[in-house]
Amino acid sequence: MKIRVDLSGSAKDNSYDILIGSGIVNAEAAGEVIDVIKQAGLKGRACVITTETVNGLYGRLFKNFLKNARIEPVVLVLPDGESTKSIKYLSYIYDELIKNRFERGEFIIAFGGGVIGDIAGYAAATYLRGINFIQIPTTLLADVDSSVGGKTGIDHPGGKNLIGAFYQPKCVIIDVNFLDTLPERELKNGFAEVIKYGAVLDGEFFIYLENNYEKILSRDKDGLTHIIRRSCAIKADVVNKDEKEAGLRSVLNFGHSLGHAVETLYNYKTVKHGEAIAIGMIFASMVSEDLGFCTGETLNRIKTLIKNSGLPAKIPGFTPVEYINAMKLDKKVESRLIKFVLVKEIGGFVFKELDFDYIHEFLKKIL
Ligand code: NAD
Ligand code: GLY
């Protein structure tokens, strides 16, 4: 099944398809997946950027898939983990692209989770002032969020995702079968972003998640396919309306203000992105209740779904000052205000600029 990211205005030409299926990336692939690749313009040579784990599990299958599609790969295998999303590995990718004389008409293929998608996408956005790239995600988080919408970038010791660009892929190919080997913790990690869509953008979807989380987390293929399709459709709709985050797209940052601070305070180790976002969503919902935007019942439902999914639900015990200092690194900070996404009952949201004094007092109260 296909979902279109249909960009408007001068970005119209950057529109693209997301193809979702089960077992579509294989050595005898034919039909829709090959059509999508052709329509994206991918032919000849491509630089495949992946990680050790993904290469170990699927390197051979992927090479055969590309061979069948008549694409000759140059494979770059990067270490696993968030610390790969760094200037060091970006520089390594540039070195290899230059060494192998990649040209403007050629492609980068991001084959892995969000870390690979973000760094490979940023390399594509900047090498030769931009070469083509496609996303073939292999984690739930990348399926439902990072592979779609064109946010690319790397981390800086001073903060997460501080260096980056909006740069859309030419297509996204999601094969649910890759999730068969995904560790349980990573599956739950991606599920946090799925909860995000339901909590602030689609109340019915949230109810579906409340009723089906066990089935989904036990890797029921239909359940997984449904949540990936719905999440991509919700995200595509938001990106179609506001590609460069001038307004509406910020809603996708629900849970991210405190979430990014948690990641920073843990030095991008210990806690995973989705886990940090789960904590951040609970915090944002607590603030929403405190400011009268949602009821205690809404807060409880969000907390319960997060807890039931096996995601962390407790705000870590850093001090309010540590949180505030980490939050000040956020891209959404202006003077002493930070733009928060709050939940306005399940399926709805409101943007609110919050003063750091208020956040400090609130943190003091709850920690
Ligand atoms: P990740 O890319 O680090 O992948 C998690 C781990 O799973 C890695 O060790 C990876 O090698 C392994 N793995 C990947 N696929 C596998 C498979 N099929 N089977 C077994 N193991 C597999 O983490 P992630 O959660 O996918 O992505 C997190 C990153 O995404 C963060 O850097 C975050 O900032 C970014 N992100 C970006 C956006 C965006 O819009 N660009 C949105 C959300 C998150
Ligand atoms: N993950 C947030 C966004 O893509 O805007």
Side-chain angles (χ1 to χ4, degrees):
M1 104 224 4
K2 262 197 275 187
I3 292 168
R4 184 91 180 145
V5 180
D6 211 354
L7 302 169
S8 54
S10 58
K12 185 108 199 114
D13 288 350
N14 296 335
S15 298
Y16 55 97
D17 286 323
I18 306 165
L19 182 68
I20 305 166
S22 167
I24 53 176
V25 175
N26 68 67
E28 285 97 39
E32 225 177 5
V33 68
I34 300 295
D35 291 346
V36 166
I37 284 178
K38 277 195 185 143
Q39 273 154 22
L42 173 59
K43 57 179 183 331
R45 207 166 56 130
C47 178
V48 176
I49 303 181
T50 189
T51 66
E52 282 156 9
T53 298
V54 175
N55 192 49
L57 288 164
Y58 299 110
R60 183 188 288 261
L61 171 105
F62 200 62
K63 271 193 187 148
N64 289 336
F65 166 71
L66 293 177
K67 193 172 169 201
N68 176 56
R70 298 201 162 73
I71 293 152
E72 185 200 329
V74 170
V75 182
L76 305 187
V77 182
L78 309 184
D80 291 289
E82 183 72 27
S83 50
T84 292
K85 230 174 86 174
S86 62
I87 194 83
K88 175 179 163 193
Y89 288 102
L90 181 66
S91 186
Y92 167 72
I93 294 171
Y94 292 144
D95 290 348
E96 291 298 311
L97 289 169
I98 292 166
K99 194 172 92 191
N100 288 285
R101 297 183 186 282
F102 267 87
E103 295 172 5
R104 269 232 176 107
E106 293 180 306
F107 273 71
I108 285 179
I109 301 177
F111 182 48
V115 163
I116 288 298
D118 280 10
I119 190 170
Y122 189 61
T126 47
Y127 176 67
L128 302 181
R129 298 201 179 90
I131 67 167
N132 303 309
F133 93 111
I134 73 173
Q135 292 265 18
I136 306 196
T138 62
T139 64
L140 181 60
L141 183 138
D143 289 347
V144 299
D145 194 350
S146 62
S147 67
V148 173
K151 276 191 184 175
T152 71
I154 57 168
D155 300 327
H156 183 274
K160 194 172 161 63
N161 295 335
L162 288 186
I163 298 150
F166 287 99
Y167 194 68
Q168 301 294 339
K170 293 291 175 199
C171 69
V172 181
I173 296 169
I174 301 175
D175 189 331
V176 185
N177 283 8
F178 289 130
L179 302 182
D180 289 348
T181 52
L182 195 67
E184 202 180 322
R185 186 173 171 196
E186 297 293 350
L187 195 72
K188 291 174 180 169
N189 184 50
F191 195 65
E193 301 279 14
V194 180
I195 295 174
K196 173 186 81 179
Y197 295 120
V200 285
L201 285 161
D202 186 344
E204 262 182 47
F205 187 43
F206 192 87
I207 295 172
Y208 173 84
L209 299 176
E210 287 179 310
N211 292 335
N212 293 281
Y213 69 90
E214 278 173 307
K215 184 173 109 176
I216 295 160
L217 293 172
S218 57
R219 296 172 210 251
D220 173 81
K221 280 276 152 72
D222 290 342
L224 283 170
T225 306
H226 176 69
I227 61 163
I228 293 168
R229 188 179 50 212
R230 189 69 205 122
S231 300
C232 286
I234 293 171
K235 180 153 185 184
D237 185 50
V238 170
V239 172
N240 294 349
K241 289 176 181 143
D242 177 23
E243 183 197 1
K244 301 268 169 79
E245 205 169 300
L248 174 70
R249 185 167 176 169
S250 307
V251 66
L252 301 176
N253 297 327
F254 179 55
H256 284 54
S257 299
L258 191 92
H260 277 177
V262 168
E263 283 184 275
T264 305
L265 289 167
Y266 279 120
N267 281 322
Y268 312 123
K269 297 185 180 101
T270 318
V271 70
K272 295 183 181 293
H273 178 72
E275 294 170 344
I277 296 321
I279 294 167
M281 287 193 287
I282 291 181
F283 179 72
S285 306
M286 289 167 88
V287 171
S288 307
E289 191 210 15
D290 189 56
L291 296 177
F293 289 109
C294 78
T295 57
E297 193 206 333
T298 293
L299 163 63
N300 244 341
R301 282 176 67 192
I302 292 175
K303 221 180 191 173
T304 304
L305 182 55
I306 287 172
K307 255 192 201 160
N308 285 348
S309 316
L311 283 158
K314 194 172 171 325
I315 316 248
F318 297 103
T319 66
V321 171
E322 285 174 314
Y323 276 117
I324 297 289
N325 288 340
M327 269 194 258
K328 282 186 178 160
L329 298 166
D330 198 291
K331 292 187 285 304
K332 294 166 290 300
V333 170
E334 268 173 47
S335 53
R336 285 196 53 78
L337 296 174
I338 179 163
K339 186 174 168 185
F340 251 76
V341 186
L342 300 179
V343 58
K344 203 177 168 196
E345 305 311 348
I346 297 292
F349 67 90
V350 61
F351 294 130
K352 184 89 188 140
E353 302 221 306
L354 295 179
D355 188 276
F356 279 116
D357 291 337
Y358 163 77
I359 301 173
H360 185 262
E361 284 312 299
F362 189 69
L363 280 163
K364 259 171 55 186
K365 208 162 68 182
I366 63 165
L367 284 170

